[in-house]
Amino acid sequence: VWQPGNVDLSGLLDEIFNSIAAEYMVITDDQRRTLTLWIAHTYVVEAADRTPYIAIKSAEKRSGKTLLLEILEHLVHDGWFTGSVTTAVLVRKIEKVSPTLLLDETDATFNGNRESSEELRGILNEGYRRGGVSSMCVKAGADFELHDFKVFCPKALAGIGKLPDTLED
């Protein structure tokens, strides 16, 4: 039974490192170490003011990006794996649950509908810092009102090629 102060952190990090199966994807040991520390970060993100994003990208299909997200889903705190999500669902889910977002197929998302991709980019641009919000109109009775959705949570983004410049930065 786990109790605070009763954890072999070094052993736990070694187990996580070994769970990221490099034989099924192209990934270096340094990348596995980075992922291991990021996974640990997802469990203590409430103590952080910033959260780094993980960009999982390749030049072509079948490189293990989705497989890595599937592995991460079992290792991160409150993992939410999705390949397609509307911005309305995304902001509500993040505000309500504060999951670790594991977003697949970002290349399709950012090369698709321009308005949707710009809305998603805005959410991601604000979601790295505590206090980051995405403002949307929501139904309030017969009218609409402005609501600022909190969008801070750890995020891993997987896709072919580059992310938009503001996210790469």
Side-chain angles (χ1 to χ4, degrees):
V1 174
W2 179 85
Q3 295 177 2
N6 190 21
V7 174
D8 173 14
L9 184 57
S10 176
L12 178 60
L13 293 174
D14 284 342
E15 283 185 46
I16 293 170
F17 178 86
N18 292 326
S19 296
I20 303 169
E23 62 266 19
Y24 300 114
M25 63 195 84
V26 178
I27 186 170
T28 67
D29 281 352
D30 286 342
Q31 291 167 329
R32 289 170 69 196
R33 282 184 198 92
T34 299
L35 286 168
T36 298
L37 293 173
W38 182 78
I39 290 164
H41 166 76
T42 68
Y43 286 87
V44 297
V45 70
E46 288 307 313
D49 289 329
R50 303 279 189 270
T51 184
Y53 292 174
I54 294 293
I56 303 164
K57 50 191 180 173
S58 71
E60 59 186 53
K61 298 188 281 186
R62 297 189 178 97
S63 300
K65 297 176 300 297
T66 300
L67 175 60
L68 180 55
L69 288 180
E70 290 169 350
I71 292 168
L72 290 175
E73 183 178 21
H74 297 285
L75 297 173
V76 299
H77 186 259
D78 288 335
W80 178 36
F81 180 99
T82 184
S84 176
V85 64
T86 65
T87 54
V89 169
L90 181 62
V91 296
R92 285 165 174 83
K93 175 103 176 190
I94 292 173
E95 183 169 89
K96 183 176 183 178
V97 181
S98 192
T100 298
L101 175 63
L102 306 168
L103 183 61
D104 202 6
E105 306 294 339
T106 57
D107 50 307
T109 302
F110 288 115
N111 292 324
N113 180 294
R114 181 162 166 75
E115 184 177 338
S116 293
S117 68
E118 285 301 307
E119 288 175 4
L120 176 61
R121 190 172 63 83
I123 292 166
L124 296 174
N125 280 341
E126 287 299 316
Y128 76 95
R129 65 183 180 88
R130 184 168 305 286
V133 299
S134 180
S135 302
M136 294 186 162
C137 288
V138 296
K139 189 108 170 114
D143 205 358
F144 288 89
E145 64 182 31
L146 179 66
H147 182 82
D148 290 333
F149 289 93
K150 296 174 186 167
V151 291
F152 175 74
C153 73
K155 298 169 184 74
L157 314 171
I160 296 171
K162 291 182 68 169
L163 290 166
D165 289 344
T166 55
L167 293 176
E168 286 279 338
D169 185 43

